[in-house]
Each structure stands twice: as structure tokens, then as C-alpha cells.
Amino acid sequence: MFHIFCPHCGEYREEEEFHAKGEAHIARPLDPDACSDEEWGEFLYFRKNPRGIHHELWVHAAGCRKFFNITRNTQTYEILEVYKLGETPSVVAE
């Protein structure tokens, strides 16, 4: 079982309280009405699925219900850092 640190609550909680919401740091198109169907489809459905370091968006669903980011190694499941939305990750893939 994972224990995940919630940067909003300031404590470690069991993983069952959290839900992964996908890849972090995805910029929404500036003018969605001007996007082609292909561009909009890319934004909505296509995500990276890297082996190794990956930045993910999570929500503390059974706690404070706030979103935050996790940098996680997808090979080892090790959580390398947790940070609030709007903050820059300190761990990046090489």
C-alpha cells in the first residue's frame, strides 16, 4: 500500500483516498473554437505513457478534494515528489 503526502492537508494518507487523473501540465488550447477536430481530439484523448519519470495529476478525493501533482517513476511506482498546481516540478526526466 502507498502512503501519499497531500500538500494541502500536510500529511500522509492511504492511497485509497486518492485518484489519479492523468498526465499533468497539459495546456488547454487558447481558442478551443478555432481548433480542428484533430487538434481537439489530441488534447482530449492522447497522452504520454512513458516508462520512468512521469508527472501526474491527482486528487485527494476522500480528504480535502483538492488537486495536486505527483512525480512518479512508472517502473518502480516510487513517488519522487508531490507539489501543488502551479508549482514547477524539481524532478524531471533526463
Side-chain angles (χ1 to χ4, degrees), residues 14 16 26 42 46-47 55 58 66-67 79 84 86:
E14 294 181 2
E16 287 82 11
I26 296 176
E42 284 281 327
F46 292 96
R47 300 291 184 253
H55 304 289
W58 285 69
K66 293 183 180 178
F67 285 83
I79 296 174
K84 294 179 181 180

Side-chain angles (χ1 to χ4, degrees), residues 51-84:
R51 187 175 184 177
I53 295 176
H54 187 57
H55 304 289
E56 301 170 331
L57 180 65
W58 285 69
V59 63
H60 192 179
C64 64
R65 297 184 179 157
K66 293 183 180 178
F67 285 83
F68 61 95
N69 293 320
I70 288 179
T71 303
R72 185 173 68 88
N73 186 320
T74 59
Q75 290 178 284
T76 64
Y77 295 101
E78 178 185 10
I79 296 174
L80 304 171
E81 70 178 330
V82 176
Y83 55 100
K84 294 179 181 180

